[in-house]
Amino acid sequence: MNPEFIYRTIRFFFVIAVIILLLTVFYYVSTVTYPFLIAIVIALLINPVVNLLERKAKMPRAAAVLVALILIVAIFAGIITLLIAEIVSGANYLARTVPDHVDTLVQYIEDLITSQIIPLYNQGASFFKNLDAGQQDTITQNIQTAGQKIATSAGAFLQSFFQKLPNLISWIPGAATVIVFSALATFFISKDWDRLSGMFTRLLPHRARTSGQKVLVDLKRALFGFIRAQLTLISITSVIVLIGLLILRVDYAITIALVSGLVDLLPYLGTGTVFIPWILYEAISGDPGLAIGLSILYVIVIVQRQVMEPKILSSSIGLDPLATLIALFVGFKLVGFLGLILGPVTLVIISTLHRANVFHDLWNFIKGSPQERVK
């Protein structure tokens, strides 16, 4: 066998083993250090604000970090307060109108049972009585089997829900602990960012340092781009829904538009969680005009989301639209909702490593230097 082939094969499997080992170590380490990983990401995001305050306002680094954190918390708190106020106002409106809608729905169901279900039942009972005993027993057994399966499934679902409920409640203190540790770690990491980054940089070889800086810059740009893209998509959806609801003269259009924009983040369901039940209700309650208008608006929202999402993500992150679409789909299939974030991020990492010639360097290592091949 060719010695050069054996040599390259050994190096190839060595590279694969090292990559798997590093990923495994990172996975297990991240399970116990994730609050600090979150802190690093937050510190990376707020660094431009901190640097601006430190440079323009002549603040000490620690004060600039504290002010930046307070500003971010205040902005989020203000947005959440406005959303809650608008949602509470809309909830009060729904509390006044929903009972009437429920009465209408109940009346429709009663009329449906009286005019459709009962005649069908009578026809079925008459047909059932005309069957012989064996056929009646078969139908009865099938009905009982179906009922048992439905009852078993419902019981298993309720049992699983109530078993997981204590875990959900116990998650709250843990989440509060993570938030506190992440906030404290963000402060200290951002305060000593230059010293920590310099210390980390000195530990790396020159080649790894150059590639790592390029990867970090691209990831930072991609992270900001992804957040900006999602905010852009939510804003577009909310504006389209708001304009459509104002044209249809729907009350509390702002509240519904904000909720529609937020649920648009949900995969597959999206704005359908708001529009589909609403359209069905309006069709049942006798307002076909509004049902048709909402259906048209829903189709417009879906089409613009499918068309704009790959384009906006690709322009914000710097990736090919088709590659971004594939990354979104594969990420969602493998990981679920989190995959919609991890898919593009993974694609960015691969693309960045390629631009930093990391794969090229690995391939050269596998092939070996010319002097080694001569030997």
Side-chain angles (χ1 to χ4, degrees):
M1 187 176 290
N2 190 343
E4 185 175 351
F5 175 78
I6 297 175
Y7 176 78
R8 290 181 177 180
T9 303
I10 292 174
R11 287 206 169 200
F12 172 77
F13 283 108
F14 174 75
V15 170
I16 296 298
V18 170
I19 292 174
I20 294 175
L21 179 62
L22 290 176
L23 291 176
T24 304
V25 170
F26 175 77
Y27 171 77
Y28 284 105
V29 170
S30 64
T31 57
V32 294
T33 61
Y34 61 91
F36 304 99
L37 296 178
I38 295 173
I40 292 173
V41 174
I42 297 175
L44 188 65
L45 292 176
I46 68 172
N47 259 346
V49 179
V50 174
N51 294 334
L52 181 65
L53 292 174
E54 189 180 17
R55 186 174 61 254
K56 297 294 185 181
K58 306 298 181 183
M59 289 184 178
R61 182 76 181 183
V65 173
L66 187 61
V67 170
L69 289 174
I70 292 174
L71 283 175
I72 292 173
V73 171
I75 290 172
F76 276 103
I79 293 173
I80 291 172
T81 301
L82 291 175
L83 288 176
I84 291 175
E86 185 64 26
I87 290 173
V88 167
S89 177
N92 290 331
Y93 168 76
L94 292 176
R96 295 192 303 268
T97 58
V98 164
D100 295 334
H101 294 333
V102 172
D103 290 340
T104 303
L105 184 61
V106 170
Q107 183 63 43
Y108 174 81
I109 293 173
E110 290 177 352
D111 295 340
L112 179 65
I113 292 173
T114 303
S115 60
Q116 301 292 333
I117 305 299
I118 292 178
L120 287 175
Y121 171 77
N122 292 330
Q123 293 177 5
S126 176
F127 175 75
F128 183 78
K129 291 178 180 178
N130 293 328
L131 298 175
D132 58 47
Q135 292 173 327
Q136 291 181 3
D137 291 339
T138 302
I139 293 175
T140 303
Q141 289 176 0
N142 290 333
I143 293 174
Q144 290 175 348
T145 302
Q148 289 174 355
K149 288 183 179 179
I150 294 173
T152 303
S153 300
F157 172 77
L158 292 175
Q159 183 181 15
S160 175
F161 173 77
F162 286 113
Q163 285 177 346
K164 293 179 179 179
L165 190 59
N167 295 332
L168 180 63
I169 295 173
S170 64
W171 174 81
I172 297 175
T177 304
V178 170
I179 292 173
V180 171
F181 273 93
S182 296
L184 292 174
T186 300
F187 175 79
F188 290 114
I189 291 172
S190 184
K191 182 176 73 69
D192 298 327
W193 181 266
D194 294 333
R195 181 178 63 83
L196 293 174
S197 60
M199 182 177 64
F200 181 75
T201 301
R202 286 192 296 271
L203 295 175
L204 295 174
H206 175 73
R207 181 66 181 175
R209 184 164 62 246
T210 303
S211 300
Q213 288 176 346
K214 188 169 185 178
V215 171
L216 186 63
V217 170
D218 279 5
L219 286 179
K220 184 178 178 180
R221 179 173 59 85
L223 183 59
F224 276 111
F226 184 81
I227 295 174
R228 183 171 64 250
Q230 292 300 326
L231 292 176
T232 302
L233 290 170
I234 291 174
S235 301
I236 292 174
T237 298
S238 299
V239 170
I240 291 176
V241 172
L242 178 60
I243 294 174
L245 295 181
L246 290 176
I247 293 174
L248 295 174
R249 297 182 180 180
V250 175
D251 294 328
Y252 291 91
I254 296 177
T255 301
I256 300 172
L258 291 174
V259 173
S260 300
L262 291 177
V263 301
D264 196 32
L265 288 171
L266 297 175
Y268 290 140
L269 298 177
T271 52
T273 55
V274 174
F275 277 92
I276 292 177
W278 193 4
I279 293 170
L280 292 176
Y281 172 78
E282 295 298 340
I284 290 173
S285 62
D287 194 349
L290 182 56
I292 294 173
L294 292 174
S295 300
I296 295 173
L297 179 58
Y298 180 48
V299 171
I300 293 173
V301 170
I302 291 177
V303 171
Q304 72 82 22
R305 177 76 183 195
Q306 299 302 318
V307 171
M308 297 299 294
E309 183 173 15
K311 186 174 181 180
I312 291 176
L313 280 176
S314 62
S315 60
S316 299
I317 302 177
L319 297 174
D320 180 74
L322 179 59
T324 305
L325 186 63
I326 294 172
L328 286 168
F329 181 78
V330 173
F332 176 70
K333 282 295 184 180
L334 293 178
V335 188
F337 177 70
L338 188 61
L340 296 177
I341 299 175
L342 294 180
V345 169
T346 303
L347 184 60
V348 167
I349 293 174
I350 294 173
S351 177
T352 304
L353 292 176
H354 174 69
R355 288 197 296 269
N357 292 323
V358 174
F359 297 127
H360 182 265
D361 293 341
L362 288 176
W363 178 243
N364 286 338
F365 172 78
I366 292 172
K367 291 194 302 181
S369 63
Q371 294 81 3
E372 291 176 327
R373 291 200 296 268
V374 168
K375 293 178 181 179

